[in-house]
Amino acid sequence: MPAASLLLLLAALSPAALGRGEQRGAPGRIAVVGGGIGGTAAAYFLREKFGRGVRIEVLEREAVGGRLATLEVEGEGYEAGGSVLHPLNLHMKHFVKELGLSAAPVSSGLAGIYNGEEFVFEESSWYIINVLKLLWHYGLNPLRMYMWVEDILDKFMRIYRYQTYDYTFSSNERLLHALGGNDFTQMLNQTIDEAMQKASFSHKFINEVVCPTMRVNYGQGVNINGFVGAVSLAGAESGLWSVKGGNKLVCTGLIYTSKAEVISGTVLSIEPKTRPRSTGDPVKLYQVTYNTTAGVTGDMYDIVVIAAPLNRRMANITFKNFNPPVPEFSSPYHQTVATLVHGRLNASFFGYQDPSAFRFGAIFTTENPKLFINSLGVVSPVEKKGEEGKLPLQSAVWKVFSKEVLTKEQLSLLFSSYDSVKVKKWLAYPHYSPPEPLPPIILHEQLYYLNGIEWAASAMEMSAIAAKNAALLAYHRWYGNADKIDQEDLHEKLKTEL
Ligand SMILES: Cc1cc2nc3c(=O)[nH]c(=O)nc-3n(C[C@H](O)[C@H](O)[C@H](O)COP(=O)(O)OP(=O)(O)OC[C@H]3O[C@@H](n4cnc5c(N)ncnc54)[C@H](O)[C@@H]3O)c2cc1C
Ligand SMILES: *[C@@H]1O[C@H](CO)[C@@H](O)[C@H](O)[C@H]1NC(C)=O
Ligand SMILES: *[C@@H]1O[C@H](CO)[C@@H](O)[C@H](O)[C@H]1NC(C)=O
Ligand SMILES: *[C@@H]1O[C@H](CO)[C@@H](O)[C@H](O)[C@H]1NC(C)=O
Ligand SMILES: *[C@@H]1O[C@H](CO)[C@@H](O)[C@H](O)[C@H]1NC(C)=O
């Protein structure tokens, strides 16, 4: 190749060609809207990429932790929101280690699957009996499901390698496509029911095992998309854990290590601004307006990362004077109510005449309009996690998930007696209704949105992955490193790199 055309080629790849001035200075100030796991992980990864010089501010209207929160029952804290983690949730694992926190195994009692009239499956304390029961009821479906989920998980795990090598994606679809190709993106467009039927799982298995798993994890049945369905099934595997002292400690810890400043306020609007400079190009900034106890105020930022679900009922942020306009997000979130009850379960409600024969510590349910609960299970306090093996059953703290707040009548049907009740009503996760496109990550030049990934699957680790992706994206777009964005065939490329 002649030298001149080589130069042209190099020029085409240079940062200037990407619309950024060459040797661009570091950004001065970055705002993160929302102090949940997504926002605090974003602060952490932004600090890692941009270094010590940049000022990072996290704007939070309620409490750092967001959907990771505990409720107190008789002096002990219990997880009320996001509670269990998978052993392969590597970002969360890394945070816990880096922050000097500890992981505790999540124990659960014997499981039963209730269909509103009777138990269609009852776990035994004998492993071999469970294996025989599963074979008897569902044939090879459970084993095949395990392999099906493992295959998806294997591909999903590629994200950690890509992110370790500093690669990032400009949209949620591209990110998922880079992990599992068309198989992954197609899973977003079909229900878990359709996906598993295509893979020849039986109706009985889907109704009695898959559906109850969706109901406990996402408050919805088998009409949720295939990808979140698979994530949910992975959450039924062994080795689950949570953070001793409460998962929200990860968020406060990330704020601390990232040396980000938390500002208490509700972000109301964001507007792009251009400031002329006497030399060189004008500076482009974002004006973020927020409400604090001292009144409405605001500041200018070079980069803004939104780490809260965008819609009118949730973050309710107005995007002023964007050209083209930022799209309006209106897809709803699903309401799930977590009720913590210290009491004795009413065995006869579940059709057991002899309460001493009733030994379940976790009850899952199939789809039945008569049922007013999704699931219930005995939980241990966040401080005592992993201390004793066995959970008390006689008088325990139960976590009940339901769509609506339970009435007094419903509580006294479920419990023969109880001492205390604590309720937390959440707009918990997306109300899934495939096929749906995923919201964009890039809302404007330096304005990024994390929570679109929840429409593929909502989970703590997904928010952490989206946070790292957005931090890398902001960094590479700021400095014009196009070679790190949206690379095709990364899986093959990175195979030969080592
Ligand atoms: C009941 C329940 C059970 C769950 N179980 C699990 C589980 O077992 N495992 C798992 O991995 N995941 C689980 N999840 C999902 C998980 O909790 C979420 O996916 C995750 O916590 C989302 O984190 P985030 O930071 O993206 O959002 P959020 O935690 O919602 O953080 C957003 C933050 O932004 C703040 N905010 C919103 N609007 C504004 C504004 N305008 N200005 C300033 N601040 C604003 C909010 O106050 C909030 O703190 C569960 C969720 C619920 C509700
Ligand atoms: C999935 O559906 C969306 C929106 O309905 C569509 O834009 C997209 O092309 C579909 N993707 C696949 C892989 O079928
Ligand atoms: C700001 O917050 C105060 C107190 O919470 C509230 O009364 C006021 O209406 C809010 N202002 C705006 C513009 O949202
Ligand atoms: C959202 O904010 C706008 C303007 O700030 C306000 O008029 C509207 O009532 C808010 N919507 C909800 C549902 O809170
Ligand atoms: C328990 O459940 C049975 C059957 O649903 C119901 O009749 C009874 O009122 C419930 N409550 C108590 C305290 O037994």
Side-chain angles (χ1 to χ4, degrees):
M1 180 187 311
S5 62
L6 180 64
L7 277 179
L8 273 177
L9 185 69
L10 286 177
L13 293 171
S14 77
L18 289 160
R20 318 246 162 262
E22 63 273 9
Q23 263 133 49
R24 186 175 193 177
R29 229 164 150 180
I30 303 178
V32 176
V33 182
I37 187 63
T40 56
Y44 174 87
F45 291 124
L46 285 163
R47 174 67 71 213
E48 194 174 78
K49 287 313 294 178
F50 285 99
R52 283 186 302 179
V54 59
R55 191 161 157 191
I56 301 175
E57 291 167 22
V58 175
L59 296 136
E60 171 56 56
R61 73 172 169 204
E62 281 169 49
V64 167
R67 274 173 275 167
L68 307 186
T70 52
L71 273 180
E72 205 165 286
V73 179
E74 285 157 23
E76 304 263 25
Y78 295 85
E79 294 291 356
S83 60
V84 298
L85 290 146
H86 189 274
L88 292 176
N89 285 171
L90 299 190
H91 285 321
M92 290 299 291
K93 250 175 126 167
H94 168 78
F95 294 154
V96 165
K97 193 163 168 228
E98 166 115 354
L99 300 172
L101 298 167
S102 39
V106 171
S107 42
S108 70
L110 292 181
I113 300 170
Y114 183 65
N115 71 2
E117 265 132 41
E118 55 173 0
F119 281 87
V120 293
F121 188 84
E122 304 188 356
E123 194 184 5
S124 143
S125 32
W126 299 91
Y127 177 76
I128 191 71
I129 296 198
N130 288 325
V131 172
L132 293 175
K133 274 190 172 179
L134 280 171
L135 274 170
W136 171 254
H137 283 272
Y138 308 112
L140 290 179
N141 278 271
L143 181 65
R144 286 192 44 233
M145 178 185 87
Y146 177 78
M147 297 192 315
W148 192 74
V149 172
E150 254 355 66
D151 182 53
I152 293 166
L153 196 57
D154 257 11
K155 289 181 179 146
F156 182 76
M157 297 300 285
R158 292 174 180 169
I159 190 63
Y160 299 112
R161 199 164 157 82
Y162 300 170
Q163 293 192 331
T164 302
Y165 281 90
D166 236 25
Y167 288 102
T168 177
F169 303 93
S170 65
S171 77
N172 291 304
E173 276 91 354
R174 285 203 161 105
L175 188 155
L176 289 173
H177 194 269
L179 304 179
N182 289 339
D183 289 354
F184 266 33
T185 43
Q186 266 155 19
M187 272 168 56
L188 299 170
N189 277 6
Q190 50 184 256
T191 65
I192 184 74
D193 190 21
E194 286 160 355
M196 292 189 84
Q197 279 194 42
K198 269 185 204 150
S200 328
F201 287 94
S202 75
H203 278 291
K204 182 177 161 70
F205 183 70
I206 294 173
N207 293 339
E208 294 182 1
V209 176
V210 177
C211 181
T213 311
M214 305 303 123
R215 284 166 63 79
V216 64
N217 287 327
Y218 292 103
Q220 300 156 77
V222 289
N223 287 329
I224 68 179
N225 80 63
F227 188 78
V228 66
V231 166
S232 179
L233 291 173
E237 292 184 346
S238 58
L240 301 179
W241 58 284
S242 59
V243 180
K244 197 163 181 177
N247 294 331
K248 67 177 178 187
L249 294 183
V250 174
C251 301
T252 44
L254 289 173
I255 292 280
Y256 180 80
T257 43
S258 66
K259 297 192 168 64
E261 195 183 319
V262 176
I263 297 177
S264 291
T266 303
V267 173
L268 304 171
S269 66
I270 301 176
E271 184 174 4
K273 296 274 181 185
T274 312
R275 286 250 180 91
R277 273 191 306 192
S278 49
T279 55
D281 295 335
V283 199
K284 292 174 165 182
L285 295 162
Y286 295 99
Q287 162 126 39
V288 176
T289 303
Y290 53 91
N291 195 3
T292 68
T293 46
V296 175
T297 171
D299 260 311
M300 302 288 251
Y301 299 89
D302 298 286
I303 298 172
V304 177
V305 175
I306 297 173
L310 282 176
N311 70 43
R312 289 287 157 215
R313 283 189 68 193
M314 299 183 79
N316 195 14
I317 296 168
T318 303
F319 296 94
K320 284 189 185 155
N321 299 324
F322 278 86
N323 189 14
V326 172
E328 183 74 31
F329 300 99
S330 55
S331 305
Y333 269 53
H334 189 85
Q335 175 173 295
T336 287
V337 180
T339 309
L340 287 159
V341 182
H342 179 228
R344 275 163 225 275
L345 219 57
N346 176 9
S348 66
F349 176 80
F350 294 98
Y352 270 68
Q353 296 323 313
D354 173 14
S356 68
F358 187 85
R359 291 165 52 223
F360 300 114
I363 298 172
F364 304 99
T365 62
T366 62
E367 195 92 54
N368 178 344
K370 274 195 345 208
L371 279 169
F372 55 83
I373 53 159
N374 295 336
S375 66
L376 63 177
V378 175
V379 286
S380 30
V382 292
E383 291 296 348
K384 299 225 174 95
K385 280 245 156 94
E387 278 179 17
E388 325 103 66
K390 282 264 186 279
L391 296 162
L393 272 191
Q394 283 313 309
S395 180
V397 174
W398 291 84
K399 178 149 72 181
V400 187
F401 281 137
S402 57
K403 176 83 188 8
E404 303 297 338
V405 175
L406 298 174
T407 62
K408 272 230 154 61
E409 292 70 35
Q410 289 171 332
L411 278 170
S412 50
L413 274 176
L414 284 175
F415 293 91
S416 50
S417 70
Y418 58 88
D419 312 316
S420 56
V421 179
K422 284 285 167 69
V423 183
K424 179 83 194 176
K425 192 160 122 182
W426 297 103
L427 284 173
Y429 15 67
H431 183 84
Y432 296 104
S433 165
E436 315 170 271
L438 303 176
I441 297 174
I442 302 173
L443 300 182
H444 189 249
E445 288 158 27
Q446 295 297 336
L447 176 62
Y448 301 94
Y449 179 39
L450 296 192
N451 293 69
I453 204 154
E454 287 193 75
W455 291 88
S458 173
M460 292 176 247
E461 185 72 8
M462 295 300 288
S463 291
I465 286 171
K468 179 145 192 188
N469 186 69
L472 289 172
L473 193 59
Y475 179 81
H476 293 315
R477 280 165 56 87
W478 186 266
Y479 291 110
N481 307 327
D483 59 330
K484 290 292 183 188
I485 305 173
D486 293 336
Q487 290 297 304
E488 306 267 341
D489 299 321
L490 265 186
H491 181 60
E492 292 304 315
K493 258 182 220 160
L494 291 180
K495 251 188 201 159
T496 53
E497 198 148 304
L498 268 187

